[in-house]
Each structure stands twice: as structure tokens, then as C-alpha cells.
Amino acid sequence: QVQLVESGGGLVQAGGSLRLSCAASGSIFSINDMGWYRQAPGKQRDLVAVITSVGITHYADSVKGRFTISRDNAKNTTYLQMNSLKPEDTAVYYCNAEIRSSRRGLVRSHWGQGTQVTVSS
């Protein structure tokens, strides 16, 4: 069993900052990509940022220059530092990780439960 537990969401005024964390636990042999997605009401879930196991990052155009993804491989944790937040960043943010649970096991995609981020104008 693998669990992803997110924390750090909340309510913030436009221009403010938040830092999200996502810790993976359970049966973990290795973790490939870790990423953050978000879903606003009535919209599809979209990629925000992703980071590979060696630290290569990719961002959605809408967050480039404002958000920073990082990871601590020793703690199986990824972080999303969000600065200069805008009302349009309001959404439920989900953590995703591609995890291999044993040496010969398959890589499976796991999701966190989601954390609400609300940016007021």
C-alpha cells in the first residue's frame, strides 16, 4: 500500500504565497516523476508542475516564474512553492507520484486526496 498525504493549502490574498507538501509512504522501492495537478470547479484536472527523480522540472505556462517544484528524495516528499498567487490559481491541488513498490514491480501512478487553495482578490 502506498499513500500520498498533502498539506499546506488554505486561503490567501492575491499576491500572497503558499507552500504545498506531499509525502509518500508505504511500500516504496523507488519514485520516478512527482507532480502537482489542479482542478477548478467545472474544469478538468490540469498539470501544474512535474519533477523527475534527477530534478528536471516542467511547468504549465500559466505558473512559470511564479511556482517552484522541488523534492527531497530522502523523505519521498515533493513541494510546490507558490508565489504571486492569483484568483485564477484557486483550485483543488493534487499530488501525483509514479512509484515502484518492489525491485521487479510495475510503476504505478498514485494520487493524493487533494488540498484546497483559495486566492481572494
Side-chain angles (χ1 to χ4, degrees), residues 12-16 84-87 119-121:
V12 64
Q13 288 188 334
S84 302
L85 282 161
K86 304 175 181 179
V119 184
S120 62
S121 58

mmCIF file of all heavy atoms in Angstrom, residues 12-16 84-87 119-121:
data_model
loop_
_atom_site.group_PDB
_atom_site.id
_atom_site.type_symbol
_atom_site.label_atom_id
_atom_site.label_comp_id
_atom_site.label_asym_id
_atom_site.label_seq_id
_atom_site.Cartn_x
_atom_site.Cartn_y
_atom_site.Cartn_z
ATOM 1 N N VAL A 12 -5.610 32.569 0.850
ATOM 2 C CA VAL A 12 -4.588 33.612 0.801
ATOM 3 C C VAL A 12 -5.067 34.727 -0.120
ATOM 4 O O VAL A 12 -5.865 34.493 -1.039
ATOM 5 C CB VAL A 12 -3.247 33.023 0.300
ATOM 6 C CG1 VAL A 12 -3.359 32.532 -1.130
ATOM 7 C CG2 VAL A 12 -2.113 34.008 0.479
ATOM 8 N N GLN A 13 -4.615 35.931 0.142
ATOM 9 C CA GLN A 13 -4.964 37.058 -0.728
ATOM 10 C C GLN A 13 -4.110 37.050 -1.985
ATOM 11 O O GLN A 13 -2.996 36.501 -1.999
ATOM 12 C CB GLN A 13 -4.757 38.371 0.021
ATOM 13 C CG GLN A 13 -5.784 38.636 1.105
ATOM 14 C CD GLN A 13 -5.654 40.029 1.691
ATOM 15 O OE1 GLN A 13 -4.587 40.626 1.677
ATOM 16 N NE2 GLN A 13 -6.753 40.554 2.215
ATOM 17 N N ALA A 14 -4.638 37.647 -3.026
ATOM 18 C CA ALA A 14 -3.886 37.763 -4.271
ATOM 19 C C ALA A 14 -2.536 38.419 -4.007
ATOM 20 O O ALA A 14 -2.447 39.391 -3.243
ATOM 21 C CB ALA A 14 -4.680 38.571 -5.293
ATOM 22 N N GLY A 15 -1.500 37.861 -4.629
ATOM 23 C CA GLY A 15 -0.150 38.348 -4.413
ATOM 24 C C GLY A 15 0.589 37.611 -3.317
ATOM 25 O O GLY A 15 1.809 37.781 -3.163
ATOM 26 N N GLY A 16 -0.127 36.810 -2.558
ATOM 27 C CA GLY A 16 0.474 36.071 -1.456
ATOM 28 C C GLY A 16 1.130 34.781 -1.902
ATOM 29 O O GLY A 16 1.213 34.479 -3.102
ATOM 30 N N SER A 84 3.176 34.963 -5.750
ATOM 31 C CA SER A 84 2.391 35.868 -6.604
ATOM 32 C C SER A 84 1.077 35.212 -7.020
ATOM 33 O O SER A 84 0.707 35.222 -8.197
ATOM 34 C CB SER A 84 3.209 36.269 -7.835
ATOM 35 O OG SER A 84 4.416 36.898 -7.463
ATOM 36 N N LEU A 85 0.390 34.659 -6.055
ATOM 37 C CA LEU A 85 -0.838 33.918 -6.358
ATOM 38 C C LEU A 85 -1.922 34.837 -6.914
ATOM 39 O O LEU A 85 -2.034 36.013 -6.529
ATOM 40 C CB LEU A 85 -1.333 33.200 -5.113
ATOM 41 C CG LEU A 85 -0.561 31.910 -4.793
ATOM 42 C CD1 LEU A 85 -0.758 31.497 -3.346
ATOM 43 C CD2 LEU A 85 -0.994 30.789 -5.724
ATOM 44 N N LYS A 86 -2.708 34.273 -7.816
ATOM 45 C CA LYS A 86 -3.801 34.993 -8.478
ATOM 46 C C LYS A 86 -5.120 34.270 -8.186
ATOM 47 O O LYS A 86 -5.123 33.065 -7.935
ATOM 48 C CB LYS A 86 -3.563 35.017 -9.986
ATOM 49 C CG LYS A 86 -2.230 35.599 -10.413
ATOM 50 C CD LYS A 86 -2.048 35.466 -11.920
ATOM 51 C CE LYS A 86 -0.709 36.023 -12.372
ATOM 52 N NZ LYS A 86 -0.525 35.875 -13.840
ATOM 53 N N PRO A 87 -6.226 34.980 -8.268
ATOM 54 C CA PRO A 87 -7.530 34.316 -8.060
ATOM 55 C C PRO A 87 -7.735 33.116 -8.985
ATOM 56 O O PRO A 87 -8.360 32.130 -8.574
ATOM 57 C CB PRO A 87 -8.534 35.433 -8.346
ATOM 58 C CG PRO A 87 -7.817 36.681 -7.966
ATOM 59 C CD PRO A 87 -6.375 36.445 -8.395
ATOM 60 N N VAL A 119 -7.596 31.696 -3.542
ATOM 61 C CA VAL A 119 -6.932 33.002 -3.619
ATOM 62 C C VAL A 119 -8.008 34.070 -3.778
ATOM 63 O O VAL A 119 -8.751 34.065 -4.767
ATOM 64 C CB VAL A 119 -5.942 33.051 -4.787
ATOM 65 C CG1 VAL A 119 -5.199 34.385 -4.779
ATOM 66 C CG2 VAL A 119 -4.963 31.890 -4.724
ATOM 67 N N SER A 120 -8.088 34.957 -2.815
ATOM 68 C CA SER A 120 -9.103 36.013 -2.861
ATOM 69 C C SER A 120 -8.543 37.261 -3.541
ATOM 70 O O SER A 120 -7.353 37.566 -3.432
ATOM 71 C CB SER A 120 -9.576 36.349 -1.451
ATOM 72 O OG SER A 120 -8.506 36.847 -0.676
ATOM 73 N N SER A 121 -9.424 37.985 -4.200
ATOM 74 C CA SER A 121 -8.991 39.192 -4.925
ATOM 75 C C SER A 121 -9.057 40.428 -4.041
ATOM 76 O O SER A 121 -9.570 40.398 -2.940
ATOM 77 C CB SER A 121 -9.858 39.393 -6.158
ATOM 78 O OG SER A 121 -11.214 39.489 -5.796
#
